[in-house]
Amino acid sequence: MAQLDKHNNLIGGLGNYAFKQVDGKTFVQRKPGRNGVKQTKRTKQSASDFGTASSTTKRLSVSLRRLFQTYYDRQMFNRLRKTVYKAMLSNTELPKGQKDLWEGDIALLDGLEFNLSSLYIDYCKSGLHCSLTDDQEIKLETDELNPKTQLQWPQKADRAEVCYMVSTYRKEDYMPLQEEVFKLEVTPFSIPLVSQTFTTAVLPSPCLVIVSSCVMYFKEDALLGTISINHKALHPAKIEKVLRLED
């Protein structure tokens, strides 16, 4: 049954047609299998791969949500799912219907921004380098950071935390395994920081590893103490790098 949502957009179905909203526009499509319109084996396989991309994205987001919280733009999940799907499809050796992120080009996820209203690359100009050690650890090495010139400071921000999160996922189903968070705490008046090195605990294998970053801003209140001032339009966060940890 077709109906209007809270934004007065038409959604649902009416007879042989379905309505959906994409980027603020209403699209109408005929329902598969109605009036002679049938899905072929190929379209069913493609639909299966897209469903896998959707479920994979949902599981990756379980851990990543700790980083981007509720401060992401409205198309973030679609953008993440499309990138996961594109990475899956990059493996042309696997047949349709059997695509998997593990076998795809995971580098396509590197640099994905979680909030287009406050791009991480605009707010933090210090780079991060990720590598796998011989002991099955992830080593993070930051570039030098001058808080005054390499961080963008919103009005009322008294200090900031540049946060790096390492999330690991089980190869078979991308269920989260463990997380580690590392932080650099600075103020607008802090002296430049030399390169910092962080090393995770030994990671289980095989697993998928996602290294992500965000900048948290805080103000100091005489009564309430430290208050986070990040919000829906101010939360610089992105994926730094995705790695595979083989057996």
Side-chain angles (χ1 to χ4, degrees):
M1 180 178 67
Q3 57 184 336
L4 295 175
D5 64 14
K6 62 181 181 180
H7 302 294
N8 288 324
N9 295 316
L10 191 60
I11 59 174
L14 182 63
N16 297 330
Y17 297 92
F19 303 90
K20 64 178 181 179
Q21 298 294 319
V22 179
D23 295 333
K25 298 179 181 179
T26 302
F27 289 84
V28 183
Q29 63 184 118
R30 190 184 295 272
K31 296 179 180 178
R34 302 291 183 91
N35 292 344
V37 179
K38 296 182 179 180
Q39 285 187 301
T40 65
K41 181 179 180 180
R42 190 178 185 86
T43 58
K44 288 181 179 179
Q45 290 171 338
S46 295
S48 174
D49 288 331
F50 190 78
T52 299
S54 296
S55 61
T56 299
T57 299
K58 184 178 296 185
R59 289 169 182 170
L60 297 181
S61 299
V62 170
S63 176
L64 292 175
R65 188 176 287 275
R66 288 191 60 195
L67 185 99
F68 60 69
Q69 302 178 43
T70 59
Y71 305 143
Y72 48 87
D73 65 85
R74 59 184 297 180
Q75 290 299 318
M76 188 277 290
F77 283 107
N78 287 336
R79 195 164 60 252
L80 179 57
R81 182 178 63 240
K82 288 179 182 178
T83 308
V84 168
Y85 187 49
K86 185 177 180 180
M88 291 167 52
L89 296 182
S90 67
N91 187 326
T92 57
E93 296 182 1
L94 285 176
K96 286 185 176 294
Q98 298 181 28
K99 305 290 187 180
D100 184 75
L101 178 61
W102 182 270
E103 304 294 342
D105 184 5
I106 57 176
L108 292 175
L109 288 161
D110 295 353
L112 186 140
E113 296 271 0
F114 293 120
N115 195 323
L116 298 185
S117 298
S118 51
L119 297 176
Y120 185 90
I121 58 173
D122 291 339
Y123 280 79
C124 182
K125 302 296 185 180
S126 178
L128 180 71
H129 309 279
C130 314
S131 58
L132 177 65
T133 71
D134 294 336
D135 296 323
Q136 302 284 69
E137 306 156 329
I138 297 296
K139 183 169 70 172
L140 308 180
E141 296 178 277
T142 68
D143 290 340
E144 294 182 0
L145 173 63
N146 186 330
K148 186 175 182 180
T149 60
Q150 292 182 289
L151 283 182
Q152 184 171 323
W153 290 92
Q155 189 177 10
K156 297 183 179 180
D158 295 314
R159 70 178 182 89
E161 293 179 355
V162 183
C163 306
Y164 306 107
M165 186 171 76
V166 181
S167 307
T168 58
Y169 302 86
R170 198 161 54 196
K171 175 185 176 182
E172 294 79 12
D173 53 14
Y174 303 105
M175 294 299 292
L177 292 172
Q178 62 188 55
E179 303 159 351
E180 288 190 63
V181 176
F182 306 96
K183 299 179 180 180
L184 297 175
E185 298 187 16
V186 294
T187 74
F189 311 105
S190 297
I191 62 173
L193 300 179
V194 298
S195 175
Q196 306 287 309
T197 300
F198 304 104
T199 305
T200 68
V202 176
L203 302 180
S205 60
C207 71
L208 186 77
V209 182
I210 298 182
V211 181
S212 50
S213 303
C214 76
V215 184
M216 295 293 302
Y217 293 102
F218 303 90
K219 69 176 182 178
E220 301 299 331
D221 184 272
L223 179 63
L224 301 177
T226 300
I227 302 173
S228 171
I229 61 173
N230 286 48
H231 53 78
K232 197 76 172 178
L234 174 66
H235 191 68
K238 73 168 185 174
I239 291 177
E240 292 280 357
K241 192 167 185 62
V242 182
L243 308 97
R244 293 185 193 87
L245 184 56
E246 307 279 0
D247 283 322

